[in-house]
Amino acid sequence: MSVAAERARASLVEPDRLDGFSSPREVDRVFGHGEAIAEFAAALVSGRMHHAWLLVGPEGVGKATLAYAFARRMLAQSGESDIPVDHPVFRKVAGLAHPNLLLIRRSWIEKTKRYSQWIGVDEVRRLRAFLGHSAGESGWRVVIVDRADELNQNAANALLKALEEPPPQTLFLLISSAEGRLPVTIRSRTRTLRVSGLGEEDLERAARAALERDGQKADAKALKLALALSQGSVRRALELVTSDGIALYEDIVATFSGLPDLDGARLHKQVERLSGAGDTERLELYLSLMIGLIERLIRHGATGEGAAGETERELAKQLVSKDNLARWAEAWETISAEKAEAFALNLDRSLLVLDAWFRLQRLAREHPVYGTPR
């Protein structure tokens, strides 16, 4: 049976799955992350496999794909790092049907037709039954927590108990993009495996493989720009090239180019398009693109490198100087923190966008090129 057919049979879907693309559990190949794969393999070969691993790294670089690859390897009891798609273990994991695999994640709330904001204690309590009965198939049990930084306090405490006294041949794989949100007690009981953004070659190979696997089309020029903007995240590259992400980026660049002036009517129209009830992901993408652009301008201002193309190099020359570099870094930190707080606490996100642009406007006016506001 094909992976696509297995996906159709699966009763549950990851809450953060990228629309139109396979879930990490359905992806048959890991690109990059050679050091992480080698470290895990060495532990397995040594016979001293740590019972809990914390996979930490930026959003969308393949942590979950890596975790499922590790899970398949343990469940198949195979010396091979890649389990083929026609292997029974691959099909069962892809369909979330393997009796020795438990996935802990945010739960679906039928009443609201949405996923919960946090992983609750009831979800983690499923461990009791999973770890308490005899294994459905001989060999290892694997528990994947995706994402561990979304555990609420009670859920984290419940997971900690399982980590403190794990049954034999049980492997926990915790996935996190925000290691600091995890309790120290959980981190201290895991072996941290850090993964970073993909290099240019691996990123392009991963993106092209995903587009081909899931029958998605991408304009060559748009894909090139998406890869340059993705900062090593294949998820971000795919999100950009198959949505209106490139258009959002171009709108952001146009607004930056006009600084310190702001077109109020145009800006408010853009904010309206980002503030609808169903526009959360689009708004998150917009803000991430803005923050990513600021970061590249800062890097270019400090080192002369890091800009994604001639347009960004010109923006850096227009807006950033050695005199205001520290204030740009401060603005980047402030906007990033306000974004995280607004999404965590469900604050007014339209004000978040406006405040960010007004902050950048004030900063641009300090550039020696302008002297005084235009």
Side-chain angles (χ1 to χ4, degrees):
M1 182 177 292
S2 69
V3 172
E6 286 289 350
R7 182 168 67 237
R9 290 181 56 210
S11 60
L12 294 173
V13 177
E14 282 76 4
D16 55 354
R17 173 174 161 181
L18 185 59
D19 188 37
F21 288 95
S22 300
S23 296
R25 56 186 163 83
E26 301 163 324
V27 176
D28 63 329
R29 187 175 178 187
V30 176
F31 291 89
H33 307 314
E35 291 183 5
I37 293 171
E39 184 175 340
F40 186 86
L44 181 59
V45 170
S46 71
R48 298 188 296 272
M49 173 61 70
H50 197 287
H51 72 283
W53 294 71
L54 175 61
L55 281 68
V56 176
E59 187 74 26
V61 299
K63 300 184 300 299
T65 301
L66 195 60
Y68 281 105
F70 291 162
R72 288 192 296 264
R73 186 170 183 176
M74 301 302 291
L75 295 171
Q77 302 181 60
S78 171
E80 300 297 322
S81 58
D82 293 323
I83 306 300
V85 294
D86 58 354
H87 193 288
V89 166
F90 190 101
R91 295 199 301 269
K92 289 177 182 179
V93 170
L96 294 178
H98 199 290
N100 288 1
L101 173 67
L102 178 66
L103 172 60
I104 294 176
R105 58 188 171 189
R106 289 183 287 131
S107 56
W108 176 258
I109 303 175
E110 187 62 32
K111 183 177 180 180
T112 61
K113 304 297 181 184
R114 298 177 64 180
Y115 282 94
S116 56
Q117 186 177 359
W118 307 102
I119 297 176
V121 68
D122 288 342
E123 182 71 10
V124 178
R125 282 173 179 160
R126 296 168 55 217
L127 274 171
R128 188 179 304 166
F130 177 73
L131 299 178
H133 65 67
S134 299
E137 298 182 9
S138 61
W140 286 77
R141 293 187 183 92
V142 179
V143 178
I144 295 178
V145 183
D146 189 9
R147 311 174 186 179
D149 45 73
E150 293 174 344
L151 293 159
N152 66 24
Q153 184 174 347
N154 289 336
N157 290 338
L159 177 63
L160 179 61
K161 292 179 180 179
L163 293 176
E164 289 174 335
E165 299 179 359
Q169 287 194 294
T170 299
L171 178 68
F172 289 85
L173 298 170
L174 282 62
I175 302 167
S176 175
S177 296
E179 181 183 8
R181 296 181 188 173
L182 283 169
V184 175
T185 48
I186 286 182
R187 280 183 276 161
S188 67
R189 285 165 176 79
T190 62
R191 178 170 173 176
T192 301
L193 195 60
R194 299 192 184 280
V195 295
S196 56
L198 294 174
E200 291 182 9
E201 183 177 342
D202 286 326
L203 177 66
E204 182 171 356
R205 290 166 62 213
R208 291 188 180 278
L211 291 165
E212 181 179 355
R213 179 179 58 245
D214 293 302
Q216 299 281 355
K217 303 295 183 182
D219 174 76
K221 184 178 179 180
L223 178 59
K224 183 179 180 180
L225 179 56
L227 293 171
L229 298 175
S230 66
Q231 298 180 295
S233 167
V234 65
R235 178 188 175 92
R236 178 50 48 83
L238 296 173
E239 190 176 22
L240 286 168
V241 80
T242 58
S243 67
D244 64 345
I246 298 298
L248 288 176
Y249 168 75
E250 291 173 344
D251 185 86
I252 291 168
V253 167
T255 307
F256 264 90
S257 298
L259 290 172
D261 292 338
L262 285 173
D263 183 335
R266 182 168 174 267
L267 181 57
H268 280 278
K269 185 176 181 181
Q270 181 64 34
V271 169
E272 287 179 5
R273 291 199 298 265
L274 294 168
S275 303
D279 290 330
T280 299
E281 291 185 4
R282 193 163 178 261
L283 175 61
E284 197 281 332
L285 176 59
Y286 181 90
L287 290 167
S288 294
L289 288 170
M290 175 193 282
I291 291 167
L293 176 54
I294 297 171
E295 182 180 359
R296 291 192 298 278
L297 295 181
I298 294 170
R299 189 182 309 126
H300 189 273
T303 67
E305 299 178 352
E310 184 59 30
T311 299
E312 290 194 3
R313 285 191 285 272
E314 289 299 318
L315 280 178
K317 186 186 301 183
Q318 171 187 329
L319 297 169
V320 182
S321 70
K322 291 184 178 180
D323 291 335
N324 68 7
L325 193 61
R327 289 190 290 279
W328 272 97
E330 182 182 348
W332 175 80
E333 291 180 355
T334 300
I335 294 171
S336 298
E338 289 177 348
K339 170 180 175 280
E341 182 180 24
F343 277 82
L345 302 178
N346 199 27
L347 303 178
D348 189 326
R349 295 167 189 178
S350 60
L351 287 179
L352 174 66
V353 175
L354 291 173
D355 285 347
W357 280 118
F358 293 147
R359 181 181 300 277
L360 297 177
Q361 180 185 45
R362 292 192 298 271
L363 183 55
R365 284 175 172 162
E366 299 175 3
H367 194 284
V369 169
Y370 306 110
T372 58
R374 293 189 296 177

